Amino acid sequence: MAREHLIDTARQVYRSYGFAPIDTPALEYAEVLLGKGGEESDKQVFRFTDQGDRDVAMRFDLTVPLARYSAQHIQELGTPFRRYHIGPVWRGERPARGRYREFMQCDFDTIGSDSNATDIETLMVIHDLFEKIGIERFTIRVNNRRVLNGLLEKNDLLQHASGILRALDKLDKIGRDKVVAEMVEQVGISEAQAGNVLDMAMLTGTPDEILTSLDGMLQGSETGETGLSNLQELFGTIRTCGLPQDRVTLDVSIARGLNYYTGTIYETFLGDLPGIGSVCSGGRYDNLAQLFTSQKLPGVGASLGVDRMLAAMEELGMTEKATTPAPVLVTMFERERAADYMQIARTLRQAGIGAEVFPEAKGIGKQMKYANRKGFQVALIAGTDEFASGTWQVKGLVDGSQQQVATEQVVATIEALIR
Amino acid sequence: MAREHLIDTARQVYRSYGFAPIDTPALEYAEVLLGKGGEESDKQVFRFTDQGDRDVAMRFDLTVPLARYSAQHIQELGTPFRRYHIGPVWRGERPARGRYREFMQCDFDTIGSDSNATDIETLMVIHDLFEKIGIERFTIRVNNRRVLNGLLEKNDLLQHASGILRALDKLDKIGRDKVVAEMVEQVGISEAQAGNVLDMAMLTGTPDEILTSLDGMLQGSETGETGLSNLQELFGTIRTCGLPQDRVTLDVSIARGLNYYTGTIYETFLGDLPGIGSVCSGGRYDNLAQLFTSQKLPGVGASLGVDRMLAAMEELGMTEKATTPAPVLVTMFERERAADYMQIARTLRQAGIGAEVFPEAKGIGKQMKYANRKGFQVALIAGTDEFASGTWQVKGLVDGSQQQVATEQVVATIEALIR
């Protein structure tokens, strides 16, 4: 129930921005899925030959299927194509806490536009998603790959980019000095050059302060200036739109997705549980479907980590304990009057209140135990006396209250109890 | 979008009766899935050896996984255990119109009670489901396997049951005479015996009339009388609860699920499209999980045929044409004022109205074409003049209206247009 609720929330938020649902098959031709994959992911893929002698595999993410789908259908779909896709993916890796061989992905992407407006809206979707989930304290860390690339370009370090980014990725864990050492010893750049990179990556302050510092560092690099102006527009817009400013920070050190992301990048951390890592990440990419079509399809999107987020919500006590989606249990005492119990349940449902009828005339203790274990909020009780007087006992299972009310008062009484 | 909407509706109805969602993995051990399967289904299963040398297979229905899950967890779950499960299943068969290798199942079941009250509630769920989908004319055909078994028992024909049922299943297609002939020639019962079976199977009339006839035919058979009294309670209850009586019929000829169902059985036909067959079927079974546990788990449930139902709704013109879940498109004319376009979209979303922002300042024609193709209901337009006067052009794309309103009136104006 908690998972369904979380996914429903994501769906609502995505839809409110005009993203439409798509689904693709679990199985794709192996060459479609593995065309781009490195060896590591190849080994993790569930792959087999089917009844028709086709070499097929189970999707290991929703991005490759999106690329295949977009390449195939973009002419009918038109751009911008905004879709969300929520579904399971499979990886044959060793399971661990919060890591399963089957897990749920919950992606949204805007395909076919390189406008920075879509980058900004992606950020807003992430913001609204966590607000709607009910998280008060969270931080979306934003960066733009062009900023770092601009600095590398200016310092004539572009050919060392992947080594520099790899070293930079360890900044949180090993600290500045060791990162500089790695850049010098393993990447082969000078200590001064490494210092420049670290000076930028370690900029702190408000977004405006950092943007001002970046301005000086990036002047003359077209790439860097584009990244900078994209970030300036992003922070300007969230100010105009009134997003709480402490929820969006600029973090020049994040460099996720070495080869994949090319512009804005996002990571989301929970204020009360930063240790579990980013619960929603994404970014802008230059060309989604280059393996499948010559049409260039730039895009931007992000993915909610459903399993990680659920683990976090459980740890934060944010998940409901109830295992019934219906608030009311209609208990049964006289088996031959089952129709009357069902009728009152029906009346409740017609008023929008979920109600389950206990199917057998078991003892009160047993039925109440069932009601409490499942987390019902209200039990309805009627025996000979109540039927004779046209009344019901309404038992509030949360506050322990009990009242005898006329049949026509049952809906209003229960509404007051559960609302 | 149509599929998601249909599934959402099913979910809402199931939840209103206290059914809770579960999910199980796509992959199970092959021996779990195939333990009970006949050869036909074995051949259709996608089965392979995974990275850990496990013999695994993709689920081909949601019933076997439910049996495995129930056997494993029924002690913690307790009974009655009411669950719904909506998810894809896979069969490596030849695809045809409305039959795919991957398709969606949408099941609900009550496990662990043999009370006829759960049979009656199953019927009510089916009824409410189609009502909520928006189908006015539909018929749920009900029968009880015990009625037929009772008649066979009384006529000493139980040992010929499967042959008789197989012949009976052809009644619609080949007619009474040929069914009698098959029973005599192939099953080896007398013409008089076959006549008795057909007399019962072909009873027509109101449920009450048929029940009265059955009463005479079944007296003395305990099985038959139980079936009869279950049906009597069912039709009595739907009368008490006020379900439209033409929506539920008693059809003694239906005998689906030869070996599986043991009590009430259900089939659902659309009044405007009966030819596509049953769109929601199910029944009562004696022992769900006998392969996995010695605990006896009786149950009753049904399954909405999502793909078939969607095909029917398309044919009936019941599916929305729009491919956007957001009713409003905010067009963009001045790229440098993107923040203002995003802000009005945000205001709409906060009022519960989905809004998409067109990400680039393309020509009006192009943006309107996009809006119409996607099925937006309203376009918001603002250029220099509107920004100067603090107004927006609100264009109704359904009625062709256009009005210029102050920013603070936009929400109310659009609400009036789309509600």
Side-chain angles (χ1 to χ4, degrees):
Chain A
M1 281 182 55
R3 187 166 81 155
E4 189 170 280
H5 184 66
L6 178 59
I7 287 172
D8 263 352
T9 305
R11 199 177 354 231
Q12 271 177 50
V13 173
Y14 296 167
R15 291 174 69 100
S16 76
Y17 280 80
F19 293 86
I22 70 161
D23 202 1
T24 64
L27 292 173
E28 300 263 2
Y29 289 111
E31 61 171 315
V32 166
L33 293 186
L34 300 175
K36 205 185 178 177
E39 277 177 35
E40 184 55 30
S41 66
D42 279 22
K43 263 187 289 178
Q44 293 179 353
V45 169
F46 289 116
R47 177 179 183 176
F48 60 95
T49 304
D50 81 351
Q51 284 85 341
D53 256 336
R54 287 168 290 257
D55 180 11
V56 295
M58 296 173 80
R59 66 184 179 208
F60 56 84
D61 71 10
L62 299 178
T63 304
V64 182
L66 173 63
R68 193 266 306 152
Y69 178 89
S70 300
Q72 214 169 339
H73 299 293
I74 199 68
Q75 297 307 333
E76 317 132 49
L77 291 166
T79 57
F81 165 46
R82 297 170 166 232
R83 80 86 176 85
Y84 64 90
H85 190 176
I86 302 170
V89 303
W90 295 269
R91 292 182 195 170
E93 56 191 337
R94 193 174 294 277
R97 181 163 173 273
R99 195 174 67 197
Y100 310 102
R101 293 203 183 99
E102 170 177 314
F103 59 99
M104 188 62 75
Q105 289 211 329
C106 188
D107 291 13
F108 68 99
D109 289 84
T110 304
I111 309 297
S113 170
D114 50 21
S115 165
N116 191 46
T118 58
D119 300 57
I120 299 172
E121 281 216 302
T122 301
L123 175 85
M124 288 190 189
V125 173
I126 300 174
H127 174 271
D128 288 5
L129 175 57
F130 285 90
E131 193 169 71
K132 197 99 175 184
I133 290 171
I135 303 285
E136 189 56 45
R137 293 180 56 229
F138 61 91
T139 312
I140 309 171
R141 294 187 198 160
V142 176
N143 192 13
N144 192 308
R145 284 293 304 274
R146 290 198 186 92
V147 164
L148 198 53
N149 282 348
L151 187 81
L152 298 183
E153 192 180 291
K154 248 189 99 168
N155 288 270
D156 204 22
L157 290 171
L158 265 185
Q159 73 275 25
H160 300 294
S162 61
I164 292 172
L165 292 175
R166 202 164 24 238
L168 202 55
D169 235 13
K170 302 179 190 162
L171 184 58
D172 270 0
K173 283 182 199 131
I174 63 177
R176 176 175 179 129
D177 292 350
K178 286 188 178 153
V179 169
V180 169
E182 181 173 326
M183 287 183 183
V184 172
E185 288 157 27
Q186 289 177 35
V187 186
I189 67 176
S190 76
E191 201 167 324
Q193 288 173 318
N196 281 343
V197 173
L198 268 297
D199 283 349
M200 191 179 82
M202 295 182 76
L203 284 174
T204 53
T206 66
D208 280 346
E209 288 164 0
I210 298 176
L211 289 169
T212 306
S213 307
L214 286 176
D215 200 15
M217 294 176 174
L218 294 169
Q219 256 168 30
S221 155
E222 202 189 323
T223 307
E225 285 174 9
T226 304
L228 183 62
S229 83
N230 284 348
L231 287 171
Q232 281 163 338
E233 189 189 22
L234 184 145
F235 283 99
T237 303
I238 63 173
R239 202 178 299 125
T240 305
C241 291
L243 269 70
Q245 299 199 26
D246 56 338
R247 285 182 175 166
V248 188
T249 63
L250 175 53
D251 183 340
V252 197
S253 75
I254 57 171
R256 54 178 306 115
L258 268 107
N259 301 309
Y260 189 62
Y261 292 119
T262 54
T264 317
I265 39 185
Y266 318 87
E267 293 187 341
T268 313
F269 292 85
L270 302 178
D272 295 320
L273 217 57
I276 63 156
S278 175
V279 285
C280 186
S281 311
R284 168 167 286 284
Y285 38 88
D286 258 354
N287 198 354
L288 174 71
Q290 54 195 353
L291 285 176
F292 307 114
T293 174
S294 57
Q295 185 174 354
K296 205 175 171 194
L297 291 175
V300 60
S303 182
L304 171 68
V306 172
D307 294 303
R308 188 179 282 189
M309 189 61 203
L310 273 177
M313 290 171 75
E314 238 165 64
E315 204 161 328
L316 296 172
M318 288 178 68
T319 51
E320 285 277 346
K321 294 284 169 293
T323 58
T324 173
V328 179
L329 180 69
V330 180
T331 59
M332 186 180 286
F333 286 90
E334 302 192 7
R335 177 62 186 82
E336 65 280 11
R337 302 206 58 152
D340 296 292
Y341 298 111
M342 290 190 205
Q343 193 184 14
I344 193 82
R346 205 159 176 77
T347 306
L348 288 168
R349 282 181 212 118
Q350 276 158 356
I353 301 169
E356 172 173 338
V357 179
F358 197 86
E360 292 158 50
K362 290 195 171 159
I364 174 86
K366 194 148 190 172
Q367 295 191 54
M368 281 303 148
K369 203 176 143 193
Y370 177 83
N372 286 313
R373 192 164 44 79
K374 291 263 170 182
F376 286 97
Q377 296 173 53
V378 175
L380 267 184
I381 304 168
T384 319
D385 293 351
E386 287 80 10
F387 284 123
S389 59
T391 60
W392 290 85
Q393 300 285 346
V394 180
K395 207 172 158 70
L397 300 175
V398 180
D399 63 5
S401 66
Q402 179 151 348
Q403 45 192 315
Q404 184 165 355
V405 304
T407 302
E408 10 345 310
Q409 292 305 312
V410 166
V411 167
T413 307
I414 290 178
E415 264 172 353
L417 270 171
I418 64 177
R419 296 278 146 82
Chain B
M1 281 182 57
R3 187 166 82 156
E4 189 171 281
H5 184 65
L6 178 59
I7 287 171
D8 262 353
T9 306
R11 200 179 351 233
Q12 271 177 49
V13 173
Y14 296 167
R15 291 174 68 102
S16 76
Y17 281 80
F19 293 86
I22 71 162
D23 201 1
T24 64
L27 293 173
E28 299 263 1
Y29 288 111
E31 61 171 315
V32 166
L33 294 187
L34 301 175
K36 206 185 178 179
E39 276 175 35
E40 185 56 29
S41 67
D42 279 24
K43 264 186 287 177
Q44 294 180 350
V45 169
F46 290 116
R47 178 178 180 176
F48 60 95
T49 304
D50 82 349
Q51 284 83 341
D53 255 335
R54 288 167 291 255
D55 179 10
V56 294
M58 295 173 82
R59 66 187 179 206
F60 56 85
D61 71 11
L62 300 178
T63 305
V64 181
L66 173 63
R68 193 266 306 153
Y69 178 90
S70 300
Q72 213 169 341
H73 299 293
I74 198 69
Q75 297 307 331
E76 317 132 49
L77 292 166
T79 57
F81 164 47
R82 293 169 169 234
R83 81 86 175 85
Y84 64 90
H85 190 176
I86 301 170
V89 303
W90 296 268
R91 292 182 196 171
E93 55 190 336
R94 193 174 294 276
R97 182 164 172 272
R99 196 174 68 199
Y100 310 101
R101 293 204 183 99
E102 171 176 315
F103 59 100
M104 188 61 75
Q105 289 211 328
C106 188
D107 292 11
F108 68 98
D109 288 84
T110 305
I111 309 295
S113 170
D114 50 21
S115 166
N116 191 46
T118 57
D119 299 57
I120 299 171
E121 281 216 301
T122 300
L123 175 84
M124 289 190 188
V125 173
I126 299 175
H127 174 271
D128 289 6
L129 176 56
F130 286 90
E131 193 169 73
K132 198 99 176 182
I133 290 171
I135 303 285
E136 190 55 45
R137 294 180 53 228
F138 61 90
T139 312
I140 310 170
R141 295 187 198 160
V142 177
N143 191 14
N144 192 307
R145 284 295 304 274
R146 289 197 186 92
V147 164
L148 199 54
N149 282 349
L151 187 82
L152 299 182
E153 192 180 288
K154 249 189 98 169
N155 288 271
D156 205 21
L157 291 171
L158 265 185
Q159 73 275 24
H160 299 294
S162 61
I164 292 172
L165 291 176
R166 204 165 19 241
L168 203 54
D169 237 12
K170 303 178 188 161
L171 184 58
D172 270 359
K173 282 182 200 135
I174 62 176
R176 177 175 179 131
D177 292 350
K178 285 187 177 156
V179 170
V180 169
E182 180 173 327
M183 286 183 184
V184 172
E185 287 156 28
Q186 290 178 35
V187 186
I189 68 176
S190 76
E191 202 168 323
Q193 287 173 319
N196 281 343
V197 173
L198 267 297
D199 283 348
M200 190 177 85
M202 295 182 75
L203 284 174
T204 53
T206 66
D208 280 347
E209 288 164 1
I210 298 176
L211 289 169
T212 306
S213 307
L214 287 175
D215 201 15
M217 294 176 173
L218 294 169
Q219 256 170 30
S221 155
E222 202 188 323
T223 307
E225 285 174 9
T226 304
L228 183 62
S229 83
N230 283 348
L231 287 171
Q232 282 163 337
E233 190 188 23
L234 183 144
F235 283 99
T237 303
I238 64 173
R239 202 177 299 126
T240 305
C241 290
L243 268 69
Q245 297 199 28
D246 57 338
R247 284 182 176 166
V248 189
T249 63
L250 176 51
D251 183 340
V252 196
S253 74
I254 58 171
R256 54 179 305 115
L258 270 107
N259 301 307
Y260 189 63
Y261 293 119
T262 53
T264 318
I265 38 188
Y266 317 87
E267 293 186 343
T268 312
F269 292 85
L270 303 179
D272 295 319
L273 219 55
I276 65 156
S278 174
V279 285
C280 187
S281 311
R284 167 165 288 284
Y285 38 87
D286 257 355
N287 199 354
L288 174 72
Q290 55 196 351
L291 285 176
F292 307 114
T293 174
S294 57
Q295 185 175 352
K296 205 174 171 196
L297 291 175
V300 60
S303 182
L304 170 69
V306 173
D307 294 302
R308 187 178 282 191
M309 189 62 202
L310 273 177
M313 290 171 74
E314 241 165 63
E315 204 162 327
L316 296 173
M318 290 178 66
T319 51
E320 286 274 347
K321 294 284 169 293
T323 57
T324 172
V328 180
L329 180 70
V330 180
T331 58
M332 185 180 287
F333 287 89
E334 303 193 7
R335 177 62 187 82
E336 65 280 9
R337 302 205 61 151
D340 296 292
Y341 298 110
M342 290 190 204
Q343 192 183 15
I344 194 81
R346 207 163 173 76
T347 305
L348 288 168
R349 283 181 211 116
Q350 277 159 356
I353 301 169
E356 173 173 338
V357 179
F358 198 85
E360 292 159 50
K362 291 196 171 159
I364 174 87
K366 195 148 190 170
Q367 295 192 53
M368 280 304 146
K369 202 174 143 195
Y370 177 84
N372 286 314
R373 191 164 45 79
K374 293 261 169 182
F376 286 97
Q377 298 172 54
V378 175
L380 267 183
I381 304 168
T384 318
D385 292 351
E386 288 80 9
F387 284 124
S389 60
T391 60
W392 291 83
Q393 300 285 347
V394 180
K395 206 172 160 68
L397 299 175
V398 181
D399 62 5
S401 65
Q402 178 151 347
Q403 45 192 315
Q404 182 164 357
V405 304
T407 302
E408 3 356 304
Q409 293 305 313
V410 166
V411 167
T413 306
I414 291 179
E415 264 171 354
L417 270 172
I418 64 176
R419 295 279 145 81

